């Protein structure tokens, strides 16, 4: 184990060797398996444990449910800080021993990660944060957008998952969703299940009453023929015809970043994505929709998913079944259930806004 206060490079132990915690658990420096697609990289952010009393119990439940249903050899990647890492290691060790699983894990220092995405943080925080915290806490809310810079350049796929989720199925089924990505899709996210973006987009929706942006995914009536997403660019797989047919069936309530699938090799190669994350592009998108967000990377994905629909695979809501009902009590009780609706057998419950998820 690392000594208290000793600096690490964020990719394993100090000297790059493995620390054996248990017979079936190893802390390792990440080494890519090359073209092997059976590599299951799960990223978690676990910081400021002392300031968040329920974070420890959330991670325990996350690990317990993950391992209970797991059918594969996992590699956990924990982005953490000095005050939280020891606790995270202990929880991983306990749950691995409890379920007799095999797993690897790698720790990353949040400060190192923040430095690698500093330009993204600088450009986006004024648009997607309602209050300015410390630089590192701000960076955490945007980390997924630059994860391809942080991880080993040979890592091809990863899934970043919030600590406040509970699994009801094997995470292998979630990784299998990568096989359904169209050739140009970079990310996979499920729809937002509250009217938060209806609220954020109130001015835009007032000026554009026919828009589906901010409408429930399951719409009561079909939108007009003219109400379609912007035409796909060369790098996108959605044809205009596909966009029209899709939008006749569904609204666009925004996306939720509790579960983010990242096709890392495609993200690294995408010149379009490189342009989209530039400060000028993000600012233009925000101004176009009179958009002032407060949810970090989720706000960016929501804008990008509407402006460039071909870049994001729409993950089914059963893989991120959010439970937060805050907006029901804050002005949207009459329409809340239209947003909250999710059909199908739930695979992952997301206990956002401190809602207790069923075990």
């Amino acid at each position: 184990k690392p000594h208290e206060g000793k600096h690490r490079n964020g990719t394993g132990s100090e000297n790059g060797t493995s620390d054996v915690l248990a017979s079936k658990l190893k802390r390792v420096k990440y080494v890519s398996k090359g073209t092997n697609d059976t590599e299951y990289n799960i990223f978690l952010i676990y910081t400021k444990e002392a300031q968040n009393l329920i974070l420890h119990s959330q991670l325990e439940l996350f690990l317990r449910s993950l391992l209970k249903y797991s059918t594969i050899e996992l590699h956990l990647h924990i982005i953490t800080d000095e005050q939280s890492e020891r606790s995270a290691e202990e929880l991983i060790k306990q749950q691995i021993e409890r379920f007799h699983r095999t797993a690897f894990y790698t720790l990353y220092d949040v400060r190192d990660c923040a430095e690698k995405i500093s330009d993204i943080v600088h450009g986006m925080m004024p648009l997607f944060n309602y209050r300015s915290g410390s630089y590192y806490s701000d960076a955490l809310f945007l980390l997924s957008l630059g994860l391809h810079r942080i991880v080993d350049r040979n890592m091809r796929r990863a899934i970043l998952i919030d600590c406040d989720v509970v699994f009801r199925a094997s995470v292998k089924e979630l990784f299998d969703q990568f096989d359904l990505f169209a050739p140009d899709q970079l990310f996979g996210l499920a729809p937002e299940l509250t009217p938060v973006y209806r609220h954020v987009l109130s001015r835009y929706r007032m000026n554009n009453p026919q828009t589906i942006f901010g409408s429930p995914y399951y719409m009561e009536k079909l939108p007009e023929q003219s109400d379609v997403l912007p035409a796909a660019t060369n790098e996108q797989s959605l044809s205009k015809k596909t966009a029209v047919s899709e939008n006749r069936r569904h609204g666009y309530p925004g996306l939720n970043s509790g579960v983010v699938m990242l096709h890392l090799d495609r993200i690294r190669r995408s010149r379009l994505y490189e342009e989209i994350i530039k400060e000028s592009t993000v600012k233009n998108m925000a101004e176009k929709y009179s958009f002032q967000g407060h949810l970090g990377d989720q706000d960016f994905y929501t804008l990008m998913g509407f402006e460039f629909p071909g870049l994001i695979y729409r993950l089914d809501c059963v893989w991120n079944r959010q439970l937060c009902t805050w907006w029901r009590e804050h002005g949207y009780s009459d329409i809340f259930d239209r947003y909250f609706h999710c059909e199908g057998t739930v695979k992952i419950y997301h206990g956002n806004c401190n809602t207790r998820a069923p075990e």
Side-chain angles (χ1 to χ4, degrees), residues 166-350:
V166 176
F167 290 84
R168 300 298 287 268
S170 172
V171 74
K172 182 184 184 302
E173 292 181 47
L174 180 57
F175 276 94
D176 288 344
Q177 297 283 312
F178 276 116
D179 297 334
L180 304 178
F181 276 37
D184 294 320
Q185 288 174 332
L186 309 179
F187 301 92
L189 291 94
E192 169 64 32
L193 299 181
T194 77
V196 58
Y197 291 115
R198 186 186 191 101
H199 184 80
V200 169
L201 292 160
S202 55
R203 187 193 303 175
Y204 176 78
R205 287 174 60 86
M206 189 166 59
N207 295 329
N208 299 272
Q210 295 300 314
T211 188
I212 59 165
F213 200 176
S215 295
Y217 183 72
Y218 296 103
M219 297 183 70
E220 288 181 351
K221 62 179 183 177
L222 302 179
E224 298 296 323
Q225 175 81 20
S226 60
D227 189 25
V228 299
L229 294 180
T233 66
N234 291 336
E235 197 169 329
Q236 297 168 297
S237 60
L238 280 185
S239 67
K240 193 168 184 179
K241 182 178 178 183
T242 305
V244 172
S245 64
E246 280 294 312
N247 293 325
R248 283 179 174 169
R249 291 198 299 272
H250 301 299
Y252 184 73
L255 300 168
N256 185 278
S257 61
V259 176
V260 182
M261 303 178 69
L262 301 105
H263 213 306
L264 296 166
D265 50 350
R266 292 183 184 176
I267 295 169
R268 292 185 192 99
R269 292 196 306 263
S270 174
R271 291 182 181 178
L272 177 57
Y273 181 68
E274 210 172 289
E275 286 298 314
I276 297 171
I277 60 173
K278 287 182 178 176
E279 183 175 359
S280 57
T281 312
V282 178
K283 193 175 179 185
N284 287 339
M285 286 195 297
E287 287 176 356
K288 177 177 178 179
Y289 297 106
S290 305
F291 191 104
Q292 176 61 57
H294 60 281
L295 297 172
D297 61 353
Q298 177 169 311
D299 294 330
F300 173 80
Y301 289 124
T302 290
L303 278 173
M304 183 172 74
F306 193 68
E307 194 77 350
F308 302 93
L311 297 183
I312 297 182
Y313 170 74
R314 195 197 69 78
L315 189 62
D316 195 282
C317 63
V318 299
W319 285 109
N320 182 359
R321 205 300 172 226
Q322 302 129 56
L323 299 172
C324 180
T325 58
W326 190 90
W327 288 97
R328 178 184 277 151
E329 283 82 48
H330 292 82
Y332 292 91
S333 58
D334 55 334
I335 56 168
F336 181 83
D337 287 338
R338 289 178 57 197
Y339 287 85
F340 202 58
H341 183 65
C342 175
E343 297 176 0
T345 304
V346 175
K347 311 276 192 180
I348 292 178
Y349 281 106
H350 182 188

